[in-house]
Amino acid sequence: MASPSPAASFDSESYLDMDLLRLLTCGSVDDGKSTLIGRLLYDSKSIFEDQLEAAQVASLNRGDERVNLALLTDGLRAEREQGITIDVAYRYFATPRRKFIIADCPGHVQYTRNMVTGASTANLALILIDARHGVIEQTRRHAFIASLLRIPHMVVCVNKMDLVDWSEEVYEKIRDDFEGFAARLETTDISFIPMSALNGDNVVDRSQSTPWYDGPSLLHHLENVHIASDRDLIDPRMPVQWIVRPQSDEFHDYRGCAGKVASGVFRPGDEVMALPSGLTTTIESVDVGGEAVEAGFPPMSVALRLKDDIDVSRGDMICKPGNKPMVTQDLSAMVVWMSTTPMTPGKKYAIKHTTNSARCVIKELTYRMDIQALQRDESATELALNEIGRVNVRVTKPIFCDTYRTCRQTGSFIIIDEATNVTVGAGLITGTND
Amino acid sequence: MSSYSLNHLRQLEAEAIHIMREVASEFERPALMFSGGKDSIVMVRLAEKAFRPAKFPFPLLHVDTGHNFPEALAFRDELVERLGERLIVAPVQELIDSGEAVEDPGAWPSRNRAQIPTLLKAIETHRFDALFGGARRDEEKARAKERIFSFRDEFGQWDPKNQRPELWSLYNGRIQMGEHIRVFPISNWTEMDVWQYIKLEEVDVPSIYFTHQRDVVTRMGQLMPVGDAPFQARDNEDVEIGKTVRFRTVGDMSCTAATESPASNIDDIISEVAGARASERGARMDDKTNEAAMEDRKKEGYF
């Protein structure tokens, strides 16, 4: 299983130019998802000998013929016993160009909530298709969720190509089927790669078995896909998390509005507005750890020192006078339900949006999305676990938001059950409903 | 890189700062677990990034096994002094003496399990409602599934099958009285990221991470340090005098193995980590007990 080692060529300075790609893998038990991840980790030297040894021993104990790479990733005892992935697991590997964070999600419909969780932070979705089965209902569901969560890039891995004799015809058919259906999705960057994760074909290196395929290997694609322009540098938004206020004589007048920049760029001298007060002032300096930096931009965590001592506290939003978010108590949103207790209109919940916590009531369920058939069911009266629907929500106080399409950070919220404190829903804002 | 871009370390840093500020805002009595190891040292640097020029809005908490490397203890005290922050020490020995914690049987046992009641008692005494830990998901596969905000019930237990979904960067820190949250701001970092960040930020670390001469014995295929009382070679073991070694982790001395290494600076360590074929936790005897050793300890309240 030995192969070239990208990790071995790290030198002490080049890491300063590495960037970060977060990807999501979706597939079912038999698509070879865990095998693919095991392969990426192994071939990029992110699996260590002792971890491999542990997987070898476990494979032997189970009577597997060869080392089961899936055992490298299935972390909880119940998963190893049942041979399935229950929860989102995070994996890490790096090449000299990029660090990768994989959110490894179970594919089955009853794990939609796990996939949504993994998708919420991903820049790229890897969708696995078993070449023998082609595009199935599950493939469409995965692509729909990736699109709903607005993952900007999608890679369709047509796996187990060795089991269909590396047939170009089979690959083309799958590609056409997928494209036909994906035309209705909002993801524009979709790539296709024929591969065998088990044997490593087209995973790290181009395979000899696919002379008819002129695209890159999966790893090459992951290293080169352009992600820098996925961020919004136009619309300045910074939800205020915390006020840095030293209780010392030396820094008596220091007051920093701390937060993570959601979008846009903040520079010293910029005129900014704080919501809800609507008061404006200019930025004196943008600090990290008490030291000035040139600018604050996503995804930086900074502290803004403002020229005037205006009233700002946690939950407020810093924006610009000519570029403000929506200010509303009435939201329309897509909601993914994550609790075994169904969501019913009229019920009250706690809500967390950016750095704001409030209460809300679900006023109306407009429709439920049938994620198998991808059709709207307007007769639905509740959302059960793993169901997705369009709702109108009334919040107890105004929130400062954008649509999820414009900004993931200011366009998302979670719904919390006030009795159990459990996160029961994920919301993606589609607009106001005043 | 183009303008307005952050390398992977700065992105990880920004994520960790955000997490620390969320905890400071939403909890009444947080504390930062500090062991003197490189991960907790990086956490301290991240807290400086999040809260300076103000003081940290929480104390540091050291669960002291009494089996510390003297170098790590000296480093801890010096760092705390320089930072001007508050340190709370919770000694495992006190609970062993009072019978509230039991040492594993055998000669020079690990005090890993005895840390659990000590930590839980400290949480109770100080009424901590959120504890920062330096655990990383790349360390061990049970950790790969742990949330950044990891909910613990009134007994400090972790229920891996019933974790809250964690979406975007919206952390749900709501708890009932008696419950608490463990928070892992560097969940998404790898051993390599930690070392690269130490280099980038010029962070000091204890000397035992670098090559030095030490007396060791080979036990279960691992180089175990001996000579610093009370750790002595067992009867049938041959002591190798002055072996050139360093440590990849700074844990309980009784269960932390050394590796042969000439690495004398951070660059050497980065090259070594890049070429390493054994995981960091491979040097922890406590994880070798069985395949789910970590999962079991975590369920009981271990970090």
Side-chain angles (χ1 to χ4, degrees), chain A residues 287-301:
Chain A
D287 293 357
V288 176
E291 285 169 25
V293 296
E294 251 173 68
F297 52 88
M300 284 174 80
S301 285

Side-chain angles (χ1 to χ4, degrees), chain B residues 78-133:
Chain B
E78 200 182 308
L79 181 70
V80 167
E81 170 78 29
R82 184 168 55 74
L83 288 170
E85 297 291 345
R86 204 150 58 90
L87 172 74
I88 296 172
V89 178
V92 170
Q93 188 64 51
E94 274 181 17
L95 270 85
I96 290 173
D97 294 345
S98 69
E100 290 167 89
V102 183
E103 258 182 314
D104 288 349
W108 319 125
S110 152
R111 287 184 165 179
N112 238 311
R113 292 174 59 86
Q115 284 184 68
I116 301 174
T118 311
L119 172 61
L120 296 179
K121 187 169 183 192
I123 291 169
E124 215 177 291
T125 308
H126 300 277
R127 292 185 296 144
F128 293 131
D129 51 4
L131 285 177
F132 290 111

Side-chain angles (χ1 to χ4, degrees), chain B residues 15-289:
Chain B
E15 179 182 65
I17 294 171
H18 173 255
I19 293 162
M20 288 188 165
R21 288 172 173 168
E22 281 301 282
V23 171
S25 306
E26 295 202 323
F27 291 85
E28 283 178 30
R29 275 177 297 276
L32 188 151
M33 302 277 292
F34 184 82
S35 68
K38 65 181 190 313
D39 300 311
S40 61
I41 293 167
V42 162
M43 298 263 292
V44 165
R45 174 55 56 95
L46 293 166
E48 292 183 85
K49 297 267 177 170
F51 303 108
R52 289 290 184 248
K55 295 267 190 213
F56 299 170
F58 40 74
L60 308 184
L61 170 67
H62 182 213
V63 177
D64 182 355
T65 60
H67 288 178
N68 298 289
F69 290 95
E71 296 90 337
L73 275 189
F75 184 91
R76 176 196 78 183
D77 294 339
E78 200 182 308
L79 181 70
V80 167
E81 170 78 29
R82 184 168 55 74
L83 288 170
E85 297 291 345
R86 204 150 58 90
L87 172 74
I88 296 172
V89 178
V92 170
Q93 188 64 51
E94 274 181 17
L95 270 85
I96 290 173
D97 294 345
S98 69
E100 290 167 89
V102 183
E103 258 182 314
D104 288 349
W108 319 125
S110 152
R111 287 184 165 179
N112 238 311
R113 292 174 59 86
Q115 284 184 68
I116 301 174
T118 311
L119 172 61
L120 296 179
K121 187 169 183 192
I123 291 169
E124 215 177 291
T125 308
H126 300 277
R127 292 185 296 144
F128 293 131
D129 51 4
L131 285 177
F132 290 111
R136 310 187 317 264
R137 289 180 181 140
D138 77 321
E139 285 179 81
E140 211 280 333
K141 52 190 179 174
R143 281 190 166 153
K145 309 220 160 171
E146 186 151 21
R147 303 293 186 260
I148 289 173
F149 272 45
S150 186
F151 176 81
R152 301 303 160 105
D153 66 13
E154 61 204 299
F155 303 103
Q157 298 178 110
W158 181 55
D159 180 0
K161 280 195 235 167
N162 192 23
Q163 300 191 79
R164 294 175 178 175
E166 201 158 77
L167 294 131
W168 299 289
S169 47
L170 291 171
Y171 303 104
N172 173 2
R174 291 170 66 111
I175 51 171
Q176 313 273 5
M177 188 76 92
E179 298 168 342
H180 71 276
I181 296 262
R182 305 273 173 98
V183 183
F184 304 109
I186 61 167
S187 285
N188 286 324
W189 300 45
T190 60
E191 184 184 15
M192 178 61 108
D193 297 326
V194 168
W195 283 114
Q196 288 176 342
Y197 189 75
I198 286 169
K199 177 175 159 68
L200 180 66
E201 283 285 318
E202 299 175 352
V203 179
D204 288 331
V205 294
S207 57
I208 57 172
Y209 281 112
F210 302 108
T211 190
H212 57 282
Q213 264 73 46
R214 187 176 287 266
D215 300 347
V216 296
V217 297
T218 303
R219 192 177 296 162
M220 282 173 74
Q222 305 267 16
L223 295 178
M224 302 305 294
V226 293
D228 285 291
F231 302 100
Q232 302 302 333
R234 296 171 190 171
D235 289 345
N236 53 348
E237 289 175 330
D238 294 327
V239 179
E240 289 182 75
I241 307 289
K243 195 136 177 123
T244 302
V245 297
R246 70 175 199 89
F247 291 90
R248 282 176 79 185
T249 72
V250 177
D252 184 326
M253 266 184 89
S254 65
C255 64
T256 303
T259 50
E260 275 196 86
S261 167
S264 60
N265 57 46
I266 304 287
D267 283 335
D268 291 348
I269 291 177
I270 289 175
S271 316
E272 193 179 286
V273 171
R277 298 308 289 143
S279 79
E280 208 180 343
R281 291 211 75 89
R284 297 291 282 258
M285 307 291 274
D286 41 323
D287 288 341
K288 303 222 157 197
T289 325

Side-chain angles (χ1 to χ4, degrees), chain A residues 100-174:
Chain A
F100 298 92
I101 300 179
I102 305 178
D104 178 14
C105 302
H108 230 255
V109 65
Q110 67 260 39
Y111 299 120
T112 294
R113 72 169 199 169
N114 301 58
M115 181 176 163
V116 168
T117 302
S120 70
T121 52
N123 314 98
L124 182 145
L126 279 189
I127 295 189
L128 269 88
I129 295 181
D130 184 328
R132 295 169 302 173
H133 305 140
V135 173
I136 55 174
E137 200 173 87
Q138 173 171 275
T139 318
R140 285 194 290 271
R141 180 161 43 81
H142 291 162
F144 170 73
I145 293 170
S147 161
L148 178 73
L149 273 288
R150 301 202 69 81
I151 301 178
H153 312 278
M154 206 180 278
V155 178
V156 180
C157 301
V158 183
N159 193 24
K160 305 200 181 182
M161 284 296 296
D162 52 321
L163 301 182
V164 295
D165 297 326
W166 296 100
S167 159
E168 184 181 8
E169 202 182 326
V170 168
Y171 171 74
E172 289 296 337
K173 165 86 170 55
I174 291 171

Side-chain angles (χ1 to χ4, degrees), chain A residues 334-404:
Chain A
M334 295 298 287
V335 162
V336 183
W337 202 247
M338 306 192 151
S339 166
T340 46
T341 311
M343 181 207 84
T344 43
K347 195 168 172 201
K348 294 185 179 71
Y349 297 96
I351 182 172
K352 187 171 182 188
H353 169 266
T354 63
T355 53
N356 253 315
S357 291
R359 300 181 72 209
C360 71
V361 58
I362 310 288
K363 286 176 66 184
E364 189 188 4
L365 173 63
T366 321
Y367 60 83
R368 176 173 61 201
M369 192 77 197
D370 178 343
I371 55 171
Q372 305 286 4
L374 294 186
Q375 281 170 348
R376 295 173 181 188
D377 174 6
E378 287 171 12
S379 64
T381 55
E382 59 174 38
L383 285 184
L385 176 66
N386 293 313
E387 290 186 336
I388 298 171
R390 172 79 171 258
V391 299
N392 293 327
V393 183
R394 170 86 181 170
V395 189
T396 49
K397 64 178 185 184
I399 62 163
F400 321 110
C401 63
D402 296 280
T403 61
Y404 186 77

Side-chain angles (χ1 to χ4, degrees), chain A residues 9 24 44 63 74 82 86 119 198 260 279 310 351 355-356 396:
Chain A
S9 46
L24 163 80
S44 63
D74 291 336
Q82 296 167 38
I86 294 171
L198 192 64
K260 196 158 194 279
L279 296 171
I310 59 172
I351 182 172
T355 53
N356 253 315
T396 49

